[in-house]
Amino acid sequence: MKTFHNPHHAAHAGQQEMFRGRMVPCHEVPARLDFVLAELQRRPLGALQTPEVDDAALDAAIGRVHSARYVDFLRGAWAEWVAMDPANAERDALPSVWPLSNRHGFRNDVLPANFAARLGLFSFDSGSPLTAGTWAAARGGAACALAAARDVSAGARSAFALSRPPGHHAGPDFLGGYCFLNNAAIAAQALRDAGHAKVAVLDVDYHHGNGTQTIFYERADVLTVSIHGDPVTEYPFFLGHADERGAGAGEGFNVNLALPRGTGFDTWRATLTTALQAVQRFGATALVVPMGLDTFEGDPISGFTLKSADYFAVGEALAGAGLPTVFTFEGGYAVEAVGTNAVNLLEGFQRSA
Ligand code: SP5
Ligand code: ZN
């Protein structure tokens, strides 16, 4: 399989995230991607290339899953942050005020002129710093997702969009969970637009893929399935429960498989079988796998106990779906193991595909 990697990823390098009233070093760091690239050079799966997509096509692909007002905000955010105070050029932007939702009586239809207020309007946590290079990096990631989807729709068995920041927590008009543009959703929509009638997204990151779920929640043409830590105790807390099954035309086309913190590979693997059965029943013609490696036992912010060798079996099982498959790179914060774990999964897939 080809890997499309993002040459702009390191431009996004947050300094700190808010955790329990203090600022702590970011978990989502550029070295994560470098470890995957280094492992791919040791154990090649196919060509490594940067994406070549033209600007207009990329903007269109992003606009298929994100709102115009959100994309406009992201594109201009850093300049506005610095315009607020020239000293901001040395600081990451983090939100500190939120409208919650309409349920609380706050309005989100009027865009505040104040940038800090708009940052809150378009985010759901204070752990996702927006930096000088965030837009360039996120856009470069979307290009990887689009290039991977094109490669697969042109007949490749699989392709890997290797990019950061990750994407699966980003929704139609919000950032959060270290994510800004939803690469998996962009890939899924690009596959639909290239003629795949039914696309399944099977999210194996430790955290619920809330952004992807929300983007496709009312649609019957994209099935979203996520295996994740139970939101009763795990981030992102406010979505990811089993009773979220889709709405309207999308009723029945969202599947959440939540597992308790501490879950090991036997149970996780059995849950993957359940997820793959849902993909099978749906009749997908293409698959997108938001590939988080934060299910690893050594992950510093997560709670499953998969071992490095288990990822071969995960890849083999995913290949068993027999579908053209796009992988995106999501979480995984045991930085020195993330390359091994990612390539184990992809090698397992490629071996049995
Ligand atoms: C893509 C992805 O995996 N996003 C995950 C976002 C999780 N953000 C909240 C994590 C809070 C954990 N902070 C722990 C600090 C301990 N020193
Ligand atoms: Zn995660």
Side-chain angles (χ1 to χ4, degrees):
M1 76 177 80
K2 281 185 184 160
T3 295
F4 298 92
H5 69 93
N6 176 7
H8 306 295
H9 81 91
H12 175 72
Q15 300 167 42
Q16 295 180 304
E17 58 184 270
M18 173 75 87
F19 179 65
R20 296 185 185 167
R22 296 207 289 181
M23 299 307 292
V24 302
C26 283
H27 294 280
E28 203 291 291
V29 293
R32 300 175 59 244
L33 192 143
D34 299 335
F35 272 96
V36 180
L37 269 184
E39 193 63 21
L40 282 172
Q41 273 149 4
R42 269 192 287 278
R43 290 190 279 157
L45 300 169
L48 257 172
Q49 54 194 77
T50 55
E52 281 174 31
V53 296
D54 71 72
D55 284 347
L58 179 55
D59 287 333
I62 293 170
R64 293 286 285 145
V65 304
H66 292 289
S67 75
R69 79 171 194 171
Y70 174 62
V71 174
D72 289 346
F73 163 79
L74 267 189
R75 188 186 295 113
W78 184 254
E80 290 197 65
W81 172 244
V82 175
M84 275 189 116
D85 178 352
N88 280 352
E90 304 303 314
R91 304 177 188 126
D92 297 345
L94 281 178
S96 55
V97 60
W98 291 271
L100 297 178
S101 66
N102 287 329
R103 162 173 87 79
H104 303 89
F106 285 107
R107 291 179 63 171
N108 59 20
D109 58 321
V110 184
L111 274 187
N114 180 290
F115 173 75
R118 256 176 302 126
L119 182 56
L121 177 65
F122 291 119
S123 18
F124 70 90
D125 73 8
S126 58
S128 313
L130 198 153
T131 75
T134 298
W135 173 247
R139 199 164 186 281
C144 293
L146 179 58
R150 283 181 174 175
D151 191 40
V152 161
S153 49
R157 172 69 170 88
S158 61
F160 179 29
L162 172 56
S163 184
R164 53 170 294 287
H168 76 148
H169 293 301
D173 60 358
F174 57 83
L175 64 92
Y178 318 149
C179 302
F180 299 86
L181 293 176
N182 193 315
N183 302 315
I186 289 166
Q189 184 63 49
L191 288 163
R192 280 287 296 109
D193 293 341
H196 280 281
K198 289 185 173 198
V199 178
V201 180
L202 202 179
D203 189 320
V204 299
D205 186 279
Y206 178 76
H207 305 96
H208 174 243
N210 64 290
T212 322
Q213 169 172 318
T214 297
I215 287 168
F216 295 115
Y217 205 60
E218 297 188 13
R219 287 174 49 173
D221 58 331
V222 179
L223 173 74
T224 43
V225 184
S226 180
I227 306 172
H228 50 266
D230 191 335
V232 169
T233 59
E234 305 307 300
Y235 185 94
F237 305 115
F238 309 115
L239 208 64
H241 301 280
D243 64 353
E244 298 154 16
R245 301 189 60 259
E251 176 81 46
F253 298 100
N254 185 76
V255 179
N256 283 328
L257 302 166
L259 297 169
R261 192 175 183 87
T263 294
F265 188 56
D266 287 352
T267 301
W268 195 94
R269 175 71 182 80
T271 307
L272 180 60
T273 301
T274 304
L276 286 164
Q277 284 163 351
V279 171
Q280 186 84 39
R281 270 199 309 277
F282 172 63
T285 62
L287 178 66
V288 176
V289 178
M291 184 181 70
L293 293 311
D294 41 10
T295 50
F296 179 54
E297 59 178 351
D299 197 273
I301 67 167
S302 307
F304 294 162
T305 63
L306 274 66
K307 299 186 188 320
S308 290
D310 294 333
Y311 291 100
F312 289 112
V314 176
E316 284 163 21
L318 290 168
L323 295 170
T325 301
V326 172
F327 293 92
T328 61
F329 184 52
E330 305 292 343
Y333 308 100
V335 177
E336 295 185 9
V338 78
T340 303
N341 295 343
V343 179
N344 283 2
L345 192 157
L346 298 170
E347 200 180 296
F349 180 96
Q350 188 143 285
R351 214 191 267 159
S352 14

